[in-house]
Amino acid sequence: MKAFDALQEAQKIAFAPFVFQATVSLRNLGILDFIFDNGTKGGVTIDEIDNKLSIGEYGLSVLLEIAESSDIVEKDENGRYELTKIGYFLNYNQMTSANINFTQDICYKGLYHLQEAIETEKPSGLKELGDWPTIYEGLSKLTSKEQKSWFAFDHYYSDEIFGEALHTVFEKQPKLLFDIGGNTGKFAIMCCKHDADINVKIFDLPGQLNKALAHAEKNGFEDRISGQEIDWLSDNPSIPKGADTIWMSQFLDCFSKEEILKTLKVAVSAMDSDTELIIIETFTDRQQYGSAKLTLEATSLYFTALANGNSKMYKSEEFKQLVDAAGLRLEADKKVGDFHTMFVCKKK
């Protein structure tokens, strides 16, 4: 890269927060929608946007000028604006929308405290959302808007693989499945819909567990989906024996390596020789596209600044070492969906 081009790229990073907030404003004010809806007319002028949306020439000018410099919109010689492909994806792509809302509603203010979080290994930015030791205790207490953005982000990168994963989960026809970190109960409900003989027990923090069990009841599975409160960061967490399958989907990345090893050892103590432990993760070293790798590495900074201060999105080799150290044998290593890896493990 030439020095001039490198300098240009450096300025994009220096002013990235400005471009991001301008994008959020353009989207939320309906400007990107209006420009796109009128694209077949050869674009729209600032006056036409103002007449429709009543935002004002000044506000529109500052937003559209930086949007043009950032290749979000383009302007012809007659001052008419159209969306670029970048602008289209920023406004209409589901993955990008989930990322933007998560960044804006959950992470933006908290990331200001990233350096402190790095230095202390504490989620120093979490105070921007609430007074909890980790974000997980506070999920049920976030505002409705914050919850919507958090769960939309979380579900976008997990839900798409559930259907595919069910085939592996039910290959050996388990009768009792432990769902570790059951979230909203969506996977537990899918299991019950998939197999009439399965029973699921969800292990999670109280706030999340109550929500998951309420969803189970709403779907008519209160007799087959039960729960147990657990805090994996307590001194001696434990789960009972008896499960045919222990399911951990995008759960272990919420912990440090030491905490992951502790959690896996607890699971091993509840397993027999036939029990399967299934781990689903999005490993940074197994992503086909650079944008996916970037998303995961950004998520690591969310863990650092807001979630718990000491976890991240890991590489597959790091998890293999932890699985082995916990007393587990890796039986299968499968790609699931576009981003995920499934480890099927058994007790050594």
Side-chain angles (χ1 to χ4, degrees), residues 188-328:
I189 292 167
M190 287 183 70
C191 286
C192 289
K193 289 180 177 179
H194 181 82
D195 189 305
D197 296 323
I198 191 71
N199 283 274
V200 181
K201 189 165 188 175
I202 299 172
F203 295 81
D204 214 329
L205 292 164
Q208 287 306 109
L209 181 60
N210 290 336
K211 284 198 168 189
L213 294 179
H215 289 152
E217 183 176 0
K218 184 177 180 181
N219 282 270
F221 295 120
E222 64 271 20
D223 58 333
R224 293 167 56 198
I225 298 176
S226 60
Q228 178 179 316
E229 295 180 6
I230 190 168
D231 179 0
W232 290 96
L233 298 180
S234 63
D235 291 336
N236 295 297
S238 65
I239 60 175
K241 296 181 179 181
D244 300 301
T245 302
I246 300 175
W247 168 265
M248 297 180 177
S249 177
Q250 291 187 207
F251 169 73
L252 292 174
D253 55 49
C254 300
F255 300 96
S256 68
K257 286 184 179 181
E258 294 77 11
E259 292 162 352
I260 292 171
L261 184 58
K262 171 185 171 183
T263 300
L264 289 175
K265 285 182 175 180
V266 171
V268 169
S269 69
M271 297 169 66
D272 60 28
S273 58
D274 293 323
T275 309
E276 286 190 336
L277 172 61
I278 298 179
I279 298 168
I280 302 280
E281 287 294 338
T282 46
F283 296 125
T284 58
D285 58 340
R286 293 196 173 182
Q287 301 307 313
Q288 182 178 359
Y289 303 108
S291 59
K293 185 171 182 287
L294 175 65
T295 296
L296 295 178
E297 290 165 348
T299 303
S300 289
L301 296 182
Y302 147 75
F303 283 130
T304 304
L306 289 120
N308 53 35
N310 62 3
S311 71
K312 58 178 286 192
M313 306 306 293
Y314 293 93
K315 296 181 175 66
S316 59
E317 291 304 314
E318 293 176 292
F319 256 64
K320 286 182 179 180
Q321 293 171 11
L322 290 166
V323 163
D324 180 66
L328 291 162

Side-chain angles (χ1 to χ4, degrees), residues 45-108:
T45 65
I46 283 183
D47 286 341
E48 289 171 331
I49 300 171
D50 182 23
N51 288 336
K52 177 65 177 180
L53 302 179
S54 301
I55 294 170
E57 186 274 336
Y58 165 74
L60 288 169
S61 67
V62 295
L63 289 175
L64 289 171
E65 284 164 8
I66 197 167
E68 184 182 4
S69 294
S70 303
D71 297 320
I72 297 169
V73 300
E74 55 189 8
K75 184 177 68 170
D76 66 16
E77 64 276 6
N78 297 315
R80 306 187 74 83
Y81 289 92
E82 292 186 86
L83 286 193
T84 63
K85 288 182 179 178
I86 293 173
Y88 176 84
F89 285 124
L90 284 170
N91 203 46
Y92 296 108
N93 177 258
Q94 184 182 359
M95 177 177 68
T96 308
S97 293
N99 290 345
I100 288 175
N101 292 338
F102 180 71
T103 301
Q104 174 71 351
D105 298 332
I106 300 297
C107 302
Y108 199 87

Side-chain angles (χ1 to χ4, degrees), residues 29-55:
L29 291 168
I31 298 169
L32 296 181
D33 277 333
F34 185 72
I35 293 174
F36 178 75
D37 290 343
N38 290 274
T40 56
K41 301 177 181 178
V44 292
T45 65
I46 283 183
D47 286 341
E48 289 171 331
I49 300 171
D50 182 23
N51 288 336
K52 177 65 177 180
L53 302 179
S54 301
I55 294 170

